[in-house]
Each structure stands twice: as structure tokens, then as C-alpha cells.
Amino acid sequence: MNAFPPINLACDRFSLRLLETHDAADLLAIFGDAEVVRYWSQPPWRGEEDALAMLERDRESFVDGQALRLGIVLRSTGRVVGTLSVFNFSRANRRAEIGYALARVHWGQGLMHEALGLLLGWAFDTLQLHRLEADIDPANEASARSLQRLGFQREGLLRERWIVDGQVSDTVFYGLLAAEWRAARSA
């Protein structure tokens, strides 16, 4: 049993589903790419054991209702080409954070924008969250543009928040309220 309602999110190009052990190779292809994780708070993965460890952590977090990571699965190939996460829930405040990654070969095709739109709708409508937050590296301009297109507002800068492989980086926080999401969708 888990703390999340059923997840049935799909569109013409892809579906979103829970990740499974057989997705490890696809996940390694994503998170082992230094360009994909350039702005993440972790270095690139070195082997499939990194994927299996993440899958185990994700399974435990899902069962406990602490976090949810979904795979973006292309309908044309059945392969996982990206991930979306909802985590750091504050149930009393109906707030959580989101995270996402997409295989480099699929950048610039609108997949992430569409996938995030599905996830945000589910988080606000089904989970009844009031607020979603995203934490990105200030140099990640593509991610900032994606968030802004979805209605997120830049809310603050935390200096030297992360140290990954000896590199110190800042964080920019973005936030989106359910009312803003709904107003933008009805306009």
C-alpha cells in the first residue's frame, strides 16, 4: 500500500509511470550523461548500480508517501527518456518540490514542458497541493525558461547552496501556486 492515489498520466507522445528495475539501463543513459546532470546536485552516474540504488530509494519513498518519481516513457519505443519527481512534501502546508531530467537527445522537442504540465495538473488537482517549488542552478537558463512558461515565479537566490564534485553553486527558487496554475489554464 502507498500514500499516493493511482497515477494514469499520458498523452499522444508518451506516458508517465512508476519506474521499474528493467528501466535501469535507460536511467543510466540519462543520469550518466554529464550534460544532463550538469546542474544537478550529484555527479554523473558511473554504472547501473547507481540506477538500481536510486530505484530502491524511490520505491521506499513511494511506499512511505515521501516522494514520487515517474518515468517519461515514449509510446513509439517504450523507453524511459526522462524523469519527473515530486518530493519534500509538507502535507500540513500542501506543498512539495519538483525535479526533472530529460535525455539530451530529446532536448528542444517540448517533451519536458508537456510532461511537467501533466504532472502539475495531477499534483494540484489530485493531490490537492497548494504550492509547488523548484530549485535550479542559476546558470540553467533552459530550465528557468521551462518553469517560467509553466507559470512559476522566481522567488529567491540561495548563495553557494550546493557543492558537487568540488564545484560550489547557487540555487534559484521558483514557486507556483495552485490558483495561478488554474487561472492560467482557464485563460
Side-chain angles (χ1 to χ4, degrees):
M1 190 66 182
N2 66 67
F4 294 103
I7 302 159
N8 183 17
L9 301 170
C11 63
D12 291 340
R13 295 193 291 170
F14 60 84
S15 62
L16 303 178
R17 67 160 168 79
L18 293 172
L19 294 164
E20 300 172 8
T21 305
H22 66 80
D23 297 320
D26 290 345
L27 293 169
L28 177 57
I30 297 165
F31 292 99
D33 184 336
E35 281 300 305
V36 171
V37 298
R38 179 178 179 191
Y39 300 116
W40 274 62
S41 57
Q42 65 185 22
W45 291 354
R46 302 206 191 294
E48 203 165 294
E49 63 277 358
D50 292 324
L52 294 172
M54 184 193 80
L55 288 165
E56 180 58 25
R57 286 189 308 273
D58 286 354
R59 186 194 65 74
E60 292 171 4
S61 295
F62 178 75
V63 169
D64 293 345
Q66 298 302 309
L68 168 71
R69 189 184 322 254
L70 301 172
I72 302 170
V73 182
L74 288 183
R75 288 192 183 277
S76 61
T77 64
R79 306 291 301 265
V80 173
V81 298
T83 64
L84 300 167
S85 304
V86 184
F87 60 99
N88 284 347
F89 283 91
S90 172
R91 302 242 188 251
N93 297 295
R94 296 183 14 236
R95 178 184 71 232
E97 290 185 50
I98 62 166
Y100 43 91
L102 186 66
R104 188 171 10 149
V105 69
H106 296 287
W107 290 358
Q109 299 173 16
L111 281 172
M112 187 55 72
H113 180 77
E114 196 171 352
L116 281 169
L118 285 174
L119 181 71
L120 296 178
W122 183 78
F124 287 132
D125 296 338
T126 302
L127 296 182
Q128 294 294 301
L129 293 179
H130 174 73
R131 174 183 169 83
L132 287 169
E133 301 169 346
D135 155 2
I136 68 168
D137 187 302
N140 192 344
E141 295 173 5
S143 189
R145 283 191 305 273
S146 291
L147 291 171
Q148 290 164 357
R149 283 180 51 213
L150 289 162
F152 280 81
Q153 301 295 312
R154 181 181 167 141
E155 295 181 335
L157 173 77
L158 295 180
R159 298 174 301 137
E160 298 185 8
R161 185 165 189 244
W162 299 105
I163 301 174
V164 180
D165 276 351
Q167 288 290 113
V168 178
S169 64
D170 298 340
T171 284
V172 174
F173 272 102
Y174 283 83
L176 177 64
L177 304 178
E180 294 168 338
W181 172 257
R182 290 185 182 105
R185 294 302 151 270
S186 65

